[in-house]
Amino acid sequence: MRRPLAAALLALTAAACTSEQADPATERTRLTVTQPAADHTITFEAESRDGASSLGTVIYSVASTPTSPFRHQRKDRTALPFTETLSIDGEVPKVTFTVFNDGAAAEMICRIKVDGQVVREESGSSPSGTLCTLPAGG
């Protein structure tokens, strides 16, 4: 008789993890429902404070987690403003984002957002690049 109830709960929580364990104290079966970690979005943004319309290169890396693979992307001759959004399962991993200007004397801004909120922003005009880093769990 308990099986139909467990099946109904499982159907209602299709995205959840479930397990059944016998409880010797009550002689009943205990159903445990664990919700998976929420998904997050990580958005990389680059722009120029001085009105430049292109970058030399943007590079971003997202460390791997038990539920998301390592990601690394390099894009050359990128138009500004630049925006790229990724979906991440589980905790937010370590993230790096580097913006290299195209040799022009322009101040570049790199920004990392998690779930729409700015969590890191840096600016600079060095040809060696402007770097934003977000530690794991940030």
Side-chain angles (χ1 to χ4, degrees):
M1 190 164 180
R2 287 186 189 99
R3 294 285 176 195
L5 176 60
L9 286 173
L10 182 60
L12 290 172
T13 57
C17 299
T18 62
S19 64
E20 291 185 22
Q21 296 176 345
D23 185 346
T26 62
E27 296 182 6
R28 295 184 181 175
T29 300
R30 179 180 299 161
L31 179 67
T32 303
V33 179
T34 306
Q35 294 293 336
D39 292 338
H40 297 282
T41 58
I42 298 176
T43 303
F44 302 95
E45 296 180 346
E47 61 185 68
S48 170
R49 196 167 274 152
D50 302 319
S53 61
S54 67
L55 291 168
T57 304
V58 295
I59 301 171
Y60 61 81
S61 297
V62 179
S64 62
T65 68
T67 56
S68 292
F70 172 76
R71 299 180 197 184
H72 179 81
Q73 184 71 44
R74 175 187 171 128
K75 297 186 177 193
D76 295 317
R77 295 184 169 94
T78 306
L80 290 175
F82 169 84
T83 301
E84 182 103 356
T85 301
L86 304 175
S87 294
I88 301 295
D89 294 330
E91 288 188 34
V92 176
K94 181 176 180 178
V95 176
T96 60
F97 180 40
T98 308
V99 176
F100 297 94
N101 69 26
D102 60 4
E107 185 172 5
M108 307 312 299
I109 300 166
C110 66
R111 186 177 301 115
I112 300 171
K113 293 180 177 179
V114 175
D115 300 330
Q117 301 295 313
V118 175
V119 293
R120 189 71 165 176
E121 183 173 306
E122 299 292 336
S123 63
S125 56
S126 170
S128 62
T130 301
L131 172 67
C132 286
T133 301
L134 179 63

